[in-house]
Amino acid sequence: GHLIASGGFDKTVRVWDISRPARQEEVRCLAEHTLNVSDVAWSSDSATLLSGSYDQTVKAWNVASGQLLGSWAVSKGAFVQKVAFKPTSDAQLVLVATTHKHVIAFDRRLPPASAVSFSLENETMVNTLACDRDGVHLLTGDRNGVVKTWDLRTLKELERERVHNGEQGKPISHIEISAPLDGDGLDSGSALDDGRFVAVNSYDNVLRMYERAHPPGAGRPMELLHALKGHHNKNWPIRSSWYVGKNFRRSRPLPRRTTPHEGGGGGGERSDDGGGGGSRELGDPADERRAAS
């Protein structure tokens, strides 16, 4: 990709052309928000850009023209924490996490006043969300340090998959779901990695990496693989992103953990006390050799 979008405390959304390293080119400055911009997100075809703001609105933009395509207001007094398109071919549903204890879905095809498609109620403010590529399951992270899995077909939480992220219960700031290592999920070496691993960042300065049941929705909590320490932030969020470079592509997937009815043990989180230990390496060459033997 040659475009990158940003939003900040100056209330603007900016789109930059980075195709020529020696030249900085701002191709769009979108200045319709009245307070700082908290998040931006692209549609899957990169034709539309979402922005969320502390002005209690979510906006959609045509990147090519800079035209404002739609604006939706969250409940009065709520701040927008995170925005995303529900992964579909037409990107018509907009998912929004707010400080008012819920996730809202707006339908872009409807008038703004009646555009709320559904709402997921939570016990406390929802700081972040991440949706599986099939658009069926949604992960949320909240102020109490809880990761929840929601089935968007029934609009219910899968309570057996709930995970308390760390013993201190610090607020979760970011969730990142893994994508196929080759970027398309079509070859047998990477299809099982699509959504199988989850990175969870929280305000205890620990980046935790989990493995989910595959496919998602199997009815057991994620298993903690790593608890990575090193950041020394104070009241500042950590962000993470999964690497999907070609040199990390495996010829065969890592062995899948069995579900309880298949003879394996239960899932769940290992105690980490805010530190590491007791976890296995993802992509370790020895694991790959054993998986291929």
Side-chain angles (χ1 to χ4, degrees), residues 228-248:
L228 307 177
K229 300 175 66 177
H231 290 285
H232 299 285
N233 300 334
K234 184 177 181 179
N235 298 323
W236 194 260
I238 302 172
R239 294 289 186 263
S240 60
S241 182
W242 289 97
Y243 179 69
V244 291
K246 291 294 184 180
N247 60 327
F248 267 51

Side-chain angles (χ1 to χ4, degrees), residues 124-146:
T124 186
M125 71 170 63
V126 182
N127 291 337
T128 188
L129 56 80
C131 197
D132 279 322
R133 289 177 11 130
D134 61 8
V136 173
H137 296 101
L138 178 74
L139 296 181
T140 59
D142 66 26
R143 184 180 183 178
N144 292 338
V146 178

Side-chain angles (χ1 to χ4, degrees), residues 14 39 48 54 64 67 73 90 115-116 122 129 136 156 159 178 190 211 218 220 228 233 254 265 269 279:
R14 298 173 189 264
D39 196 27
T48 307
Y54 279 12
Q67 177 187 2
D90 55 3
V116 176
N122 195 56
L129 56 80
V136 173
K156 301 292 186 182
E159 294 186 9
S178 65
S190 64
E211 183 178 6
R220 60 185 172 84
L228 307 177
N233 300 334
L254 288 172
E269 180 180 352
S279 59

Side-chain angles (χ1 to χ4, degrees), residues 150-228:
W150 305 81
D151 189 323
L152 295 184
R153 298 165 297 187
T154 63
L155 304 183
K156 301 292 186 182
E157 182 200 352
L158 303 177
E159 294 186 9
R160 294 180 61 186
E161 300 192 15
R162 183 182 297 189
V163 168
H164 294 269
N165 184 62
E167 296 181 354
Q168 299 180 50
K170 294 290 186 178
I172 292 169
S173 59
H174 185 66
I175 295 176
E176 185 80 7
I177 301 176
S178 65
L181 295 185
D182 65 351
D184 56 27
L186 298 179
D187 79 298
S188 61
S190 64
L192 284 180
D193 286 341
D194 189 4
R196 179 180 171 189
F197 302 110
V198 178
V200 178
N201 311 123
S202 63
Y203 281 91
D204 61 1
N205 287 332
V206 180
L207 165 58
R208 293 177 177 85
M209 300 168 60
Y210 294 90
E211 183 178 6
R212 303 165 76 190
H214 194 88
R220 60 185 172 84
M222 300 182 290
E223 179 185 2
L224 181 66
L225 298 179
H226 296 273
L228 307 177

